[in-house]
Amino acid sequence: MTKYNLNTLIMAIVGLAVIISGCTGSQDVTSVVKALPEVQQFMNEHPNARITVTYWSKDEVAKSLQEISQQCDKPITPIAMYKATISEGDLKVVSWINAENQMVLCSTTQGSGSSISTPIPISTPLTTLQLYQH
């Protein structure tokens, strides 16, 4: 095998590894978030709302456990999670989603004096997502 072919093969393998690792690490929880009744209603009332999904590692969740448990109005076990925030102005829906099985642990509506916690289990097939690392 010539030096040129070997270098091309190595670059192709490295490129493929990067693509595969990127695809398996980011799953689409946006479909789970959009399936929530609170989010659907919020998006109907606020069509310009912004959806942001942030991955939180188990350690990051553990560091903010009291705040998350308070926000969800129930005790939360430290696990890797996604935090989905749908917002427009001072109004927002915040959902905490188990990163492993995409089950919604809780969803709260906040702003203008409202704060409603709703635990909603949802399981939806996933595709891709643009994640924002916390």
Side-chain angles (χ1 to χ4, degrees):
M1 189 176 263
T2 67
K3 184 178 178 179
Y4 173 76
N5 287 340
L6 184 59
N7 285 340
T8 303
L9 180 61
I10 291 171
M11 288 178 59
I13 291 171
V14 169
L16 187 58
V18 168
I19 290 170
I20 290 172
S21 67
C23 290
T24 59
S26 59
Q27 298 179 332
D28 186 4
V29 284
T30 304
S31 57
V32 174
V33 173
K34 288 181 177 180
L36 294 170
E38 298 94 330
V39 173
Q40 291 175 356
Q41 181 179 348
F42 192 89
M43 294 300 290
N44 286 337
E45 294 172 5
H46 306 279
N48 296 324
R50 183 175 159 194
I51 298 175
T52 305
V53 178
T54 309
Y55 175 81
W56 287 49
S57 69
K58 180 179 179 178
D59 291 338
E60 290 171 317
V61 170
K63 290 176 187 173
S64 300
L65 193 60
Q66 184 176 1
E67 177 186 332
I68 297 169
S69 293
Q70 207 170 25
Q71 196 173 60
C72 290
D73 197 27
K74 67 179 183 178
I76 297 294
T77 303
I79 56 172
M81 293 189 205
Y82 293 105
K83 178 183 181 183
T85 305
I86 302 83
S87 61
E88 184 177 64
D90 69 335
L91 298 173
K92 63 183 172 179
V93 174
V94 177
S95 298
W96 289 95
I97 302 163
N98 182 319
E100 185 177 320
N101 62 16
Q102 286 74 45
M103 297 293 282
V104 177
L105 301 173
C106 76
S107 187
T108 62
T109 304
Q110 302 170 344
S112 295
S114 69
S115 181
I116 304 164
S117 298
T118 312
I120 303 172
I122 295 177
S123 181
T124 305
L126 305 174
T127 53
T128 58
L129 170 67
Q130 178 181 7
L131 292 175
Y132 299 92
Q133 183 68 33
H134 174 75

